[in-house]
Amino acid sequence: MKRIQTFATFLFVALISISSYAQKIKVIEGDLSALKGQKSLTMEFTYNNMKVGKFDKEEDYVDTKRAEYNQKEAGRGDKWAKSWVDDRKNRFEPKFNELFEKHGEIQLSPKGTKYTLIFNTSSTEPGFNVGVWRKNAEINGEVWVVETSNKNNIIAKISLQKALGRTFGGYDFDTGLRIAEAYADAGKAFGKFIKDQLK
């Protein structure tokens, strides 16, 4: 009985901890009423002025990691730096789009849509997993809803904070995997947000 109570207490604390890190999404400018009735949208991703971990500039982070990896093994850092960028198109953006479409019930199309969503990632925490100690990846950003034919016409701005990259089982030793899960988390939450806003 005591073991059951201990486990219940642990589970309660764990759920409280998870909820305290829940994503925060809110409209900070304009409104989303223009999207009502839209069956498809275009999605674009940008990474302008993105901070990474403790680095205020992404390029400083990449230069530091490239040098560290190259020192350990010639060419390893250069390969890592290429993957750092390639993962955006190959892993992060597809994950976001997949979960957004599933939970937002809006199709994403590369052209022919009246409105475009531009998601700029403002900060990325890559996290780490060294077996006995780990830290989740996390991304923050802002989504702009713009008119596709005139992107200077901003319909709304939405803040998206604390999208977490975590996997069950703890086998996320790859940085790209952790960050991809953060984009999946963001896509799922943002899809639900859009759906709720347009009811």
Side-chain angles (χ1 to χ4, degrees), residues 128-147:
F128 58 84
N129 188 341
V130 292
V132 295
W133 189 251
R134 66 183 308 282
K135 181 178 182 179
N136 291 328
E138 180 180 315
I139 60 171
N140 298 310
E142 195 168 284
V143 182
W144 289 16
V145 181
V146 301
E147 192 176 2

Side-chain angles (χ1 to χ4, degrees), residues 27-187:
V27 177
I28 54 177
E29 182 180 311
D31 66 74
L32 300 173
S33 59
L35 297 184
K36 286 187 176 180
Q38 298 299 311
K39 301 298 183 183
S40 62
L41 300 167
T42 296
M43 177 69 72
E44 295 180 4
F45 296 86
T46 56
Y47 304 85
N48 301 324
N49 303 312
M50 183 174 71
K51 298 179 180 180
V52 181
K54 64 181 181 180
F55 295 87
D56 288 334
K57 294 182 179 179
E58 178 192 10
E59 61 185 294
D60 292 339
Y61 170 77
V62 173
D63 288 345
T64 299
K65 298 297 286 186
R66 181 193 287 117
E68 287 178 2
Y69 286 136
N70 277 338
Q71 190 172 21
K72 293 178 181 178
E73 180 185 333
R76 181 183 173 192
D78 299 320
K79 183 179 179 180
W80 173 88
K82 184 177 186 303
S83 293
W84 174 260
V85 176
D86 290 348
D87 277 349
R88 294 172 180 175
K89 296 291 183 187
N90 297 333
R91 302 170 84 175
F92 307 161
E93 296 167 17
K95 276 282 191 180
F96 182 99
N97 290 344
E98 176 189 351
L99 274 293
F100 175 82
E101 286 186 327
K102 180 178 179 180
H103 294 277
E105 298 181 358
I106 295 179
Q107 295 300 304
L108 296 176
S109 174
K111 58 183 179 180
T113 66
K114 186 173 182 179
Y115 297 104
T116 294
L117 305 176
I118 303 174
F119 179 24
N120 184 66
T121 304
S122 57
S123 69
T124 296
E125 168 51 60
F128 58 84
N129 188 341
V130 292
V132 295
W133 189 251
R134 66 183 308 282
K135 181 178 182 179
N136 291 328
E138 180 180 315
I139 60 171
N140 298 310
E142 195 168 284
V143 182
W144 289 16
V145 181
V146 301
E147 192 176 2
T148 301
S149 61
N150 177 19
K151 292 182 180 176
N152 290 321
N153 183 16
I154 301 171
I155 309 300
K157 293 182 182 180
I158 302 107
S159 171
L160 190 156
Q161 304 292 314
K162 291 189 176 181
L164 296 180
R166 53 196 183 267
T167 60
F168 293 104
Y171 296 106
D172 54 353
F173 297 102
D174 174 48
T175 301
L177 174 60
R178 289 192 301 273
I179 299 175
E181 288 305 312
Y183 278 90
D185 191 36

